[in-house]
């Protein structure tokens, strides 16, 4: 019994290590709501996913998306996407969507976070990834699928040399999503009042950003501290320089005074000596 459990555990652990190394894109997970151990794999969304994609969006989101949006997703028209599937599902469901993420590439200068991104205006080709939708079927939650999908987006964004960050909106009452993005090191940079209009009611939105490839905010907390320290250091240098200059002037003035005193004393001595000599000669 022990050997069987150990063998099963080592097999799952080995697959998990391979997943982290990028060798195997499937990973066994455990969810007490499921009667079996799912084996999750990730792939691009494809045209055959259209119906289930529309259904999951309708089940998960209060916002209704146009048919054009789904067509663009499944056909890859200006939208990149990843699907999560459970390879262990029976009855031909092993390639059916259980989770997804959709995103779009936008120009940094045309995005709504242009003021939150430090970049060179001369480089007009710099881009950002905007996450449109992210969702996981309820029975497959708490398996790390959403985190894995976000990592796919981060990996993709990092592979684009001109990309400087990933951003998205989260409705203010979605605490689970807010916690997830903070856990994934996204920064909440802004709260947008009344961003969403759902069933005639306005809801606020949080704007989250994740920087890649050297992208950063115009003034990060570290830069603010560093800048303050540099100002203090430069200020002290300026004060010390002025004090040193003042001291040098005093020393220089005193030196000139001493030289003048010596010159006067010497001159007077010479004058006295000449008078005495002249008087002696007269005698």
């Amino acid at each position: 019994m022990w050997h069987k459990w150990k063998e099963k555990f080592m097999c799952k652990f080995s697959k998990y290590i391979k997943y982290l190394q990028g060798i195997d894109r499937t990973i066994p997970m455990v969810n007490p709501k499921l009667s079996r151990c799912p084996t999750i794999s990730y792939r691009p969304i494809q045209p055959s996913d259209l119906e289930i994609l529309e259904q999951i969006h309708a089940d998960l989101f209060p916002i209704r998306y146009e048919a054009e949006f789904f067509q663009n997703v499944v056909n890859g028209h200006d939208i990149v996407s990843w699907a999560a599937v459970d390879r262990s599902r029976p009855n031909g469901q092993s390639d059916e969507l259980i989770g997804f993420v959709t995103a779009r590439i936008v120009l940094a200068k045309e995005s709504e976070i242009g003021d939150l991104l430090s970049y060179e205006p001369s480089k007009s080709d710099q881009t950002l990834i905007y996450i449109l939708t992210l969702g996981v079927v309820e029975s497959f939650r708490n398996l790390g699928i959403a985190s894995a999908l976000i990592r796919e987006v981060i990996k993709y964004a990092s592979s684009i040399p001109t990309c400087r960050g990933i951003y998205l909106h989260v409705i203010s009452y979605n605490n689970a999503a807010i916690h997830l993005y903070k856990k994934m090191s996204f920064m909440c940079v802004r709260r947008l009042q009344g961003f969403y209009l759902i069933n005639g009611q306005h809801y606020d939105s949080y704007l989250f950003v994740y920087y890649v490839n050297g992208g950063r905010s115009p003034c990060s907390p570290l830069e603010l501290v560093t800048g303050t320290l540099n100002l203090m250091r430069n200020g002290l240098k300026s004060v010390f320089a002025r004090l040193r200059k003042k001291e040098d002037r005093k020393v220089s003035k005193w030196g000139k005074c001493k030289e003048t005193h010596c010159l006067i004393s010497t001159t007077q001595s010479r004058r006295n000596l000449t008078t005495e000599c002249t008087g002696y000669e007269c005698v």
Side-chain angles (χ1 to χ4, degrees), residues 185-201:
S185 298
F186 279 72
M187 296 193 317
C188 183
V189 294
R190 186 171 290 166
R191 180 168 183 152
L192 305 172
Q193 301 289 333
F195 182 82
Y196 292 104
L197 178 61
I198 303 172
N199 298 325
Q201 185 173 350

Side-chain angles (χ1 to χ4, degrees), residues 80-96:
V80 290
S81 63
W82 291 263
V85 297
D86 178 11
R87 296 300 185 189
S88 66
R89 295 179 80 182
N91 304 322
Q93 295 180 315
S94 62
D95 200 46
E96 187 175 294

Side-chain angles (χ1 to χ4, degrees), residues 113-130:
I113 67 164
D115 62 322
L116 299 173
L117 184 70
S118 178
Y119 64 94
E120 298 179 30
S122 59
K123 295 183 178 179
S124 58
D125 62 339
Q126 294 190 352
T127 59
L128 296 165
I129 300 292
Y130 177 56

Side-chain angles (χ1 to χ4, degrees), residues 94-109:
S94 62
D95 200 46
E96 187 175 294
L97 261 67
I98 59 170
F100 59 85
V101 61
T102 64
R104 175 183 285 123
I105 300 175
V106 299
L107 287 174
K109 64 179 181 180

Side-chain angles (χ1 to χ4, degrees), residues 116-119 126 163-165 210-217:
L116 299 173
L117 184 70
S118 178
Y119 64 94
Q126 294 190 352
C163 186
R164 293 294 176 264
Y210 183 99
Y211 295 106
V212 298
N213 297 333
R216 57 188 177 84
S217 62

